[in-house]
C-alpha cells in the first residue's frame, strides 16, 4: 500500500456535498478514521475503533506519499498561517508526543526522563520542556545523543552515564523490549510511566513493581485527541519541531531515503521531509 501518515496540504477539491469553504485552506488530517457509529467512536475514542482505517497504515487506505490525497473532511484540522509546511507535516507525531506528555501528568519543575531520542522521544522532550519540566533523555547511538544535546535539554545520557536522580515521570519512546521494565524501575513511587514506543517482540513489565510502587502506567496510541493541541503549541511558538528535519527531498528520492540514504548537506535530525512538488 501507499504509506504516509504525517502530512499537511492545501485543499484543492471537495467531494459531492462537501463544504466548499475548505478549498484553498491549508490543513492536516487525523490518521485514524473510525467507523463513526460504534460505541467507541460515539464516545470520542474513534482512534481505537475496531473497524478504523489508518491513513497510509491500516485497511489499505492510501497515504500521503503522492501529489494528491483523498481524506474525509471530518478528519481535517485547519493549519494557521504561521505553521509552515515542515511544521505542518510534524503535527501528527507532535500530537502523539503531546498526549504522552499529558499522560505523564507533569508539573513545572518536575524531572522527566525520556527513553529513546528518536523523533517521538525528541518531540516528547520538546513538549515537556514547554510545560516547564526538567527534561533528560536516554539513548544509545552517539549520533542520536549528539543531536539531542544540540537541542539544549537538561541531560542527555547513555545507559552507562545515567545519573541516579529522582524521576517524576519516565516516558518510553524506544523500540526496546527491556526499557518498559526499566522505566518502571526508575520512576519515583506514586508517579507515572508512559508507554508510546513499541518493541518488535513482546516487552515485559513486572506488575509487582507497578503495585508496590503505586505507579500509574499510561499507553498512548495515536495523535487524534492531541492534534488540536499540537497545532496550537506550534502556532504559539512554544514548540518548534523543525530542527528535527534533516533535509527535504522529492518523491523520486523516497525509496533511497527509506533504505537509509541521506542527501548531501543533510543535518543530523531524525526526519527527512518529503515535498511532492520537488523534482
Ligand atoms: Zn467505530
Amino acid at each position: 500500500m501507499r504509506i504516509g501518515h504525517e502530512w499537511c496540504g492545501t485543499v484543492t477539491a471537495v467531494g459531492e456535498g462537501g463544504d466548499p469553504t475548505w478549498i484553498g485552506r491549508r490543513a492536516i488530517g487525523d490518521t485514524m478514521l473510525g467507523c463513526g457509529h460504534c460505541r467507541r467512536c460515539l464516545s470520542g475514542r474513534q482512534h481505537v475503533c475496531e473497524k478504523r482505517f489508518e491513513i497510509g497504515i491500516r485497511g489499505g487506505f492510501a497515504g500521503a506519499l503522492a501529489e494528491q490525497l483523498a481524506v474525509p473532511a471530518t478528519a481535517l484540522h485547519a493549519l494557521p498561517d504561521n505553521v509552515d509546511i515542515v511544521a505542518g507535516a510534524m503535527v501528527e507525531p507532535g500530537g502523539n508526543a503531546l498526549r504522552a506528555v499529558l499522560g505523564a501528568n507533569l508539573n513545572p519543575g518536575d524531572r522527566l526522563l525520556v527513553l529513546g531520542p528518536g523523533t517521538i522521544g525528541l518531540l516528547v522532550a520538546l513538549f515537556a520542556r514547554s510545560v516547564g519540566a526538567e527534561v533528560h533523555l536516554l539513548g544509545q547511538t552517539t549520533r542520536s545523543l549528539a543531536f539531542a544535546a544540540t537541542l539544549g535539554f537538561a541531560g542527555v545520557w547513555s545507559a552507562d552515564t545515567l545519573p541516579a536522580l529522582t524521576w517524576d515521570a519516565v516516558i518510553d519512546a524506544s523500540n526496546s523490549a527491556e526499557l518498559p521494565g526499566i522505566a518502571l524501575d526508575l520512576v519515583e513511587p506514586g508517579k507515572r510511566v508512559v508507554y508510546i514506543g513499541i518493541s518488535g517482540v513482546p516487552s515485559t513489565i513486572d506488575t509487582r513493581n507497578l503495585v508496590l510502587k503505586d505507579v500509574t502506567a499510561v499507553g498512548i496510541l495515536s495523535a487524534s485527541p492531541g492534534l488540536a493541541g499540537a497545532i496550537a503549541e506550534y502556532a504559539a511558538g512554544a514548540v518548534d519541531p523543525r530542527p528535527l528535519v534533516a533535509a527535504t527531498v522529492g518523491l523520486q528520492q523516497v525509496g533511497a531515503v527509506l533504505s537509509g540514504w541521506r542527501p548531501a548537506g543533510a543535518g543530523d535530525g531524525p526526519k527527512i521531509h518529503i515535498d511532492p512538488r520537488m523534482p
Side-chain angles (χ1 to χ4, degrees):
M1 69 175 295
R2 196 177 77 210
I3 63 172
H5 65 278
E6 301 172 356
W7 56 272
C8 68
T10 301
V11 179
T12 54
V14 295
E16 202 174 325
D19 176 1
T21 65
W22 271 112
I23 292 176
R25 295 178 75 186
R26 299 169 63 245
I28 62 99
D30 199 335
T31 301
M32 309 307 230
L33 308 175
C35 74
H37 46 74
C38 72
R39 191 166 171 272
R40 294 178 199 169
C41 285
L42 294 174
S43 65
R45 293 174 294 141
Q46 62 92 28
H47 60 293
V48 288
C49 171
E50 197 173 346
K51 292 178 178 165
R52 72 184 180 275
F53 291 95
E54 297 179 12
I55 293 176
I57 301 172
R58 172 173 155 141
F61 200 105
L65 285 180
E67 286 92 356
Q68 293 188 300
L69 174 68
V71 297
T74 49
L76 293 181
H77 292 249
L79 268 188
D81 290 342
N82 63 348
V83 177
D84 69 16
I85 57 169
V86 174
M90 298 279 278
V91 167
E92 205 277 348
N96 278 279
L98 171 59
R99 290 190 66 215
V101 170
L102 294 174
N105 202 28
L106 294 163
N107 292 307
D110 278 358
R111 185 181 292 126
L112 168 70
L113 180 63
V114 181
L115 308 180
T119 297
I120 294 295
L122 291 168
L123 287 170
V124 163
L126 291 172
F127 276 95
R129 187 166 65 184
S130 81
V131 300
E134 178 190 313
V135 179
H136 298 247
L137 290 115
L138 176 76
Q140 273 185 317
T141 66
T142 310
R143 181 166 134 185
S144 70
L145 292 173
F147 178 73
T150 67
L151 298 173
F153 296 111
V156 175
W157 312 102
S158 67
D160 294 333
T161 61
L162 184 70
L165 296 171
T166 298
W167 305 107
D168 297 303
V170 181
I171 298 178
D172 175 41
S174 76
N175 57 9
S176 155
E178 291 76 36
L179 287 178
I182 291 172
L184 189 49
D185 290 338
L186 290 173
V187 75
E188 183 71 356
K191 301 282 189 168
R192 291 195 176 198
V193 289
V194 179
Y195 297 117
I196 190 168
I198 294 186
S199 165
V201 297
S203 55
T204 53
I205 60 170
D206 186 339
T207 59
R208 292 172 298 183
N209 278 349
L210 198 67
V211 172
L212 294 171
K213 292 179 73 171
D214 191 39
V215 163
T216 300
V218 178
I220 298 292
L221 174 73
S222 101
S224 302
L227 290 169
I231 292 170
E233 293 283 295
Y234 290 176
V239 172
D240 184 359
R242 293 172 295 181
L244 275 58
V245 175
T248 299
V249 301
L251 284 173
Q252 296 305 319
Q253 284 81 46
V254 169
V257 161
L258 289 177
S259 58
W261 172 75
R262 311 240 336 153
D268 291 323
K271 274 289 189 200
I272 304 287
H273 181 82
I274 294 154
D275 188 336
R277 298 168 302 183
M278 283 178 68

